[in-house]
Amino acid sequence: MQIIIILFLVIGTFFVLSASIGVIRFPDVYTRLHASTKAATLGISGIMIGAFIFLYVEHGIVSGKLILGIIFILLTAPVSAHMIGRAAHTTGVKPWSHDGNTRDAYADSFKDE
């Protein structure tokens, strides 16, 4: 059981570290949101699941706070990233590309209506 706990903690830490590096290294708002939302959500959830299993196995405690924290992170992080990305698009922030040619599929979908 300790190996499973260690795996959750190490995998969660890896995802949090990769999210941190992604936020620093990626060039624009949209890719940074992708890194911070996906990786950090998985990382924080992994660490909290590891903590939940540890408390259950070692102390016999079923932590409702950890369960609620996991659910809260899984529900709110993607929604907040979507709203930030939508606000960035609405204010005119263009996605980064190597050649400078970007196609805005979101704006193109509203032209057809």
Side-chain angles (χ1 to χ4, degrees):
M1 204 54 153
Q2 289 183 354
I3 292 173
I4 294 172
I5 294 168
I6 290 170
L7 279 175
F8 272 111
L9 294 176
V10 169
I11 290 170
T13 304
F14 169 76
F15 277 117
V16 169
L17 179 66
S18 66
S20 307
I21 293 169
V23 168
I24 293 170
R25 296 284 314 256
F26 285 150
D28 67 344
V29 173
Y30 306 108
T31 53
R32 288 178 180 171
L33 276 173
H34 178 77
S36 65
T37 303
K38 303 249 189 269
T41 301
L42 287 173
I44 292 169
S45 297
I47 291 170
M48 292 177 92
I49 290 170
F52 177 81
I53 294 171
F54 173 77
L55 287 175
Y56 181 70
V57 169
E58 294 294 322
H59 302 290
I61 298 172
V62 176
S63 176
K65 291 180 183 178
L66 281 173
I67 294 172
L68 288 175
I70 293 167
I71 292 170
F72 181 76
I73 291 294
L74 290 174
L75 290 177
T76 59
V79 173
S80 63
H82 172 76
M83 296 307 294
I84 293 169
R86 189 171 182 184
H89 184 271
T90 303
T91 58
V93 176
K94 298 291 181 193
W96 179 85
S97 69
H98 288 288
D99 57 2
N101 297 328
T102 58
R103 182 174 172 269
D104 192 355
Y106 185 67
D108 292 345
S109 67
F110 289 111
K111 290 180 184 177
D112 297 335
E113 294 178 359

